[in-house]
Amino acid sequence: KRIEEEKRKAEEAKRKAEDERRKAQDAKRRAEEEDLLRKQMEDEEHRMQQEVERRREEAEQQRILSEVERYQLLIQNKVERNWIRPPDTAKGMKCTVSVNLIPGGEVVGVKIVKSSGNAVFDRSVETSVWQSSPMPVSSDAKVFDKMRTINFVFNPKD
């Protein structure tokens, strides 16, 4: 009877040890799963923050480009208002002009990048650009940086 009692106690001790081992494994597995879940959530949060930042930067770039386009039109209009049509130039002539600006809008360079085919017309456009200085420019440094060199098609309304 004593041997059976000892056997039973040994079996019970073995069962308790196995239960403890299982509980420890379960706790370790749960902790690993929680760590994995926490890491996945942190990764997702980081990815979302990056996406928000990317969209913010994209919106800022779009704002800058819109402002540059607005100033480009203002510059084009000013040049056109100051332009004097040379005699004997045909209606419908146009050329592409590159204008280099410094802060404050002063013109520091003018270049015809695509000629109209008429040197007198092209020179009259260059002269008009120089006479239009200072040009309207943005006080926003980010916008101005994108408009230091402005290219536009000079196509006067006849």
Side-chain angles (χ1 to χ4, degrees), residues 39-102:
K39 172 98 171 83
Q40 288 172 338
M41 289 174 65
E42 288 171 357
D43 289 349
E44 180 65 14
E45 183 177 335
H46 180 70
R47 188 194 65 74
M48 289 173 67
Q49 287 173 342
Q50 286 180 319
E51 180 65 15
V52 166
E53 185 58 31
R54 184 190 66 77
R55 287 183 182 186
R56 187 177 296 129
E57 288 174 13
E58 203 174 80
E60 175 65 3
Q61 287 302 314
Q62 189 58 46
R63 180 194 70 81
I64 290 169
L65 290 176
S66 293
E67 280 295 294
V68 169
E69 288 172 0
R70 186 171 77 82
Y71 279 99
Q72 182 177 347
L73 286 173
L74 291 171
I75 289 169
Q76 253 179 283
N77 288 337
K78 186 170 185 182
V79 171
E80 193 171 316
R81 282 192 314 271
N82 288 325
W83 181 64
I84 299 169
R85 177 184 293 279
D88 300 329
T89 57
K91 291 185 182 233
M93 294 182 113
K94 63 183 178 181
C95 64
T96 304
V97 185
S98 180
V99 182
N100 296 327
L101 303 167
I102 59 173

Side-chain angles (χ1 to χ4, degrees), residues 16 23 57 66 69 83 86 97 102 110 114 126 130 142 152:
K16 280 186 178 179
K23 284 180 183 177
E57 288 174 13
S66 293
E69 288 172 0
W83 181 64
V97 185
I102 59 173
V110 180
K114 184 175 180 188
E126 287 179 345
W130 285 109
K142 289 179 182 178
F152 65 92

Side-chain angles (χ1 to χ4, degrees), residues 3-22:
I3 293 175
E4 282 182 25
E5 183 69 26
E6 285 179 13
K7 240 182 171 180
R8 190 183 57 73
K9 284 185 179 179
E11 292 270 334
E12 195 174 306
K14 188 177 173 184
R15 201 171 40 246
K16 280 186 178 179
E18 183 62 26
D19 285 347
E20 290 299 319
R21 187 184 64 74
R22 257 192 235 118

Side-chain angles (χ1 to χ4, degrees), residues 103-147:
E106 293 297 321
V107 174
V108 293
V110 180
K111 181 178 176 185
I112 302 296
V113 292
K114 184 175 180 188
S115 174
S116 66
N118 181 314
V120 174
F121 178 86
D122 293 351
R123 272 195 308 277
S124 73
V125 174
E126 287 179 345
T127 300
S128 179
V129 171
W130 285 109
Q131 290 174 344
S132 298
S133 185
M135 297 292 189
V137 293
S138 176
S139 58
D140 180 331
K142 289 179 182 178
V143 174
F144 181 77
D145 282 346
K146 297 282 185 190
M147 60 181 295

